[in-house]
Structures are given as structure tokens and as C-alpha cells.
Amino acid sequence: MSHSPEIPARDVHDAQLVANVHPPDWKNPEPAGRYNLVVLGAGTAGLISAAVAAGLGARVALVERHWLGGDCLNVGCVPSKSVIRAARRVEEARLAHALGVPAFARDAVDFGAAMRRMREIRARISVDDSAQRYRDELGVDVFFGDARFTSPSEVDVEGQRLHFAKAVIATGARASLPPIPGLASARPLTNETVFDLRERPRRFAVIGGGPIGAELAQAFGRLGCEVTLIEAGPRLLPREDADAAEIVQRRLAAEGVRLLLGASVERVAESGGAKRLQLRDASGAVSEIPADEILVAVGRTPNVDGMNLESAGVAYDVRTGVVVNDHLQTTNSRIYAAGDVCMSWKFTHAADAAAKIAVQNALFARTQKLSSLVMPWCTYTDPEVAHVGLYERDAAERGIAIDSYLVPLAQVNRAVTDGEEDGFVRLLTKRGSDRILGATIVASHAGEMISEVTLAMVGGLGLGKLLGVIHPYPTQAEAIKRVAGAWLRTRATPLVKRLLAGYMALRR
């Protein structure tokens, strides 16, 4: 169900992690006669599905091939954000010379200490996802092993047969490896292996300029690596608005990340212990760069193979994953799916929300829809780029007339005092109204700020209501209120202004 490598227990933190998420001495329980719900995969979607169902009184079995917690805990959100935080602290210290703090070189950073801190944090958090907790506190039957459907209502796990009334497939996705000649034999890193590094690679090549590539290119550059980021497209973060991506692009370049945009990797070879990437740029010119390590960050492949989905009557596509309807129901009415294995939103919080929909629909009335969700997301570069709702291009494609309001962070006092003026808040509304259709925020903590806008959209609150929200002064989130003020000023037409002026004259 998962293609992730085993976690090497190289130190006490790794040992603690493994003891929680895949105890070496774990013995699978005797299967119950028939489960209300069997969950395949114990990443975010699987863990939430199992916990919610068990909390509602269901008899639940949870099956995982490798480790509980999935990508998020082990090789995704938790380790990456720990490394990114360490890297941000390094950058803050490097820039503190303006305050009279002695400058230091990035290569003086203890890379091993930063990675050790990450492993300690990951191990500490892993208690929440531990096999023991799910068994003893939540009452879930936890099985480790390969799961294969043997019928539309049965799963085999290491020779044990699990019968179910309903099931949820939550097997996630894995890092994609593009078919570049020589790449596989050069042993590239992906998000599944990059956090195993103990020593700093001097020359670090990143293939892919999406969120993972941009985040880790910046972080590893701040931790002292010589980073080259290679992106086939003309800019980083192609999903985001061009002006938002441009800010991140400028920041990475200013910090010393070498950006090779519009370039493709033709082949990879090893020579003298170093890896060499042959590139071709947009003009057709060929060049070569050396690297000690290569990180591949070019997409995700759903984990649909190895489960014998055909026997269960579950349709799937090897590129897009398990086929589901808006209720997250598969082509087998007993079986649902949630998370990266079936959704285009490949975020931990999306998997969490989808799992709750799947469990509700599987165990009770089939009323909840994935399309009803208002889904924010964030890329954790510095500055961060957060978004929710429609982009301007989405509105244009759908024929929706919009108004756009933007406030640069340079107009927000807290951003000025923080020295974090390079960013903005932009809100889109339905033309002629204050109804919010989408937002993009570029700021140091945009991921925290976007939730206010998301709440407004979920609650049907327009810019008029946001204008009445009092923000502590000074905060960068005050930019949201300033956007609402920009909307209000558009309401004051020349006629309205004349009428108000006449009224005020009468009041004198």
C-alpha cells in the first residue's frame, strides 16, 4: 500500500519513532467477526477515518504496511517544517548584523544539529499516531502487513481475513521519479529520503520548482548548501499567481539559490564520486552541473497497486488514483477512499477533512460532499504563499465577473517594523458585491493569516463584516482589514460623496 522505505533506527530519536509507528515486536490481533469499517493505510486520511469511526462506536480495523502517520509525520509536514524553521532561524541570525550582531557564514551552521532537532521533534509528535494509542485508547484493531482485497467485502492481511461492512482506502501517494536516463542509478533523494541526511551536502541540486522543491531549496541553502534549482517551466510555483511566485523567486535568488528556469534535465551520470546533471535550456543550449545530492520534487503517484482492487470492483487509474464520486464513494458502493490516493488536493488538512466525509457517508447517510469544502493551502517558503478559493484565471474560465483588491505589506506597519514588507494580501469578490470568492496572501506567516479569510468564506461573511473585525495593533493580519477598507472606498461613488457632503453641510 505504501512504497516508502523503512525508517533506519540510527539514533535514540529514530528508535523512539519506530517504537511508536511500527513496533518491532507488534503482533497483529485476531480479526473480529465482521468490522463496521476497515481502513487501508494509516496516513492522515486513514488515521482520521479510524479515529472518527471508533469514536462513533464502530468496530474498526486499521491496516498499514510500513508506519503509522504516513508521509505527514514521517517524511512530509513534520520533518520539513522542522527543518524550515531551523533554516529561518539561521537566516534571521545572518541578517541580524543590521542590529550590531556579528555576521557569520552559513557554512558555520551545524547541519547535523538541525537534522537531529528534526528527528527529536518527529519522535515526540509520533506518540499521537502510535499503534499503542490507537489500540489502547481508541479501541482500533491495528494490523501491520500487506493488504489485498479478496472479494468486494473482504481483505487479506498476511493470511488473516478481515470481513467488512464498509471500507476506506487511504493508501496515499509516493514521490514520482521522472524517466531521466541515469537518474535512478544516481540514487536521488525524494521527500521520502531527504530527511535521512546527517551530513550537509555541499552541492545540492533540486529538480522541480513546485512547493516541495522551492521550500527545501531555500531551507537547504540557508543551512549552508550550494543549491541549484532546476524547473522546466518559466517560473517557480506555477499553480500560484505570477506576482506571488515572483516574490518567492526573487527571495531565493537573493539568498544565493541558483535558479535555472526553462531548463530540463536530459540525463544524469556519476563520475569521480560526484553526480553530474546534463541540462538543456529553452534555447536548446546544453550545459552540465555537478551535485553531491539530487532532490527530485516533481509530483506524486497514487498508491493503487498491490491491493488487488479488481477483486473488490474498485476502478482506478495509475496516474490519478482511485475513482470516486463527490461523496468519496468508489465504484464498489461498500468502499470509499480519501486523501492523496484519490484527490487532487494533496494536503494533510485536505486528507483530514475528506476522511470525515468518507466516514460520515460510509457509516450513516450519504449526504456529505467533497465539493462543499472551502480548501486553503500554503507553500512554506519565506515569505509564505497561501491561497483559498478562486484565482483570477479560474473566475475568467468560469465567466465570473470579479473585483480585485490588493494591499501591499509595505503599507502595513507591523510588516515594516518586522522588515517583512515584500508581500501582499489580495482578495477577490463577486463584481459589485463584498462576497469573497478567493484570496492570495504572500507574507512571512501567510499560512496563519489565510484562516481568517477561509472562515469568512465558510461563514458567508463579506468584506463589510471583515471591515468591522478589530485586529490587535500592530499585526500583519491588519492587511486583511485594509483590503476591506479598499472595498469600502469603492462604494463611495461621486454621487454618494456629494450627498454626504450636503448632509454634513446641513449638520454644521
Side-chain angles (χ1 to χ4, degrees), residues 146-165:
D146 293 320
R148 289 175 55 84
F149 286 98
T150 55
S151 78
S153 61
E154 294 176 313
V155 171
D156 180 271
V157 182
E158 303 296 322
Q160 292 181 298
R161 193 65 57 88
L162 309 184
H163 299 266
F164 61 82

Side-chain angles (χ1 to χ4, degrees), residues 86-128:
R88 181 175 283 201
R89 284 177 170 169
V90 169
E91 185 66 5
E92 289 169 348
R94 188 180 72 85
L95 297 177
H97 62 82
L99 304 177
V101 177
F104 72 96
R106 283 176 175 163
D107 59 10
V109 174
D110 188 337
F111 181 88
M115 301 302 280
R116 185 165 56 251
R117 172 183 177 273
M118 174 272 295
R119 295 194 301 277
E120 187 275 330
I121 291 171
R122 182 174 63 178
R124 179 150 42 104
I125 291 176
S126 70
V127 174
D128 293 336

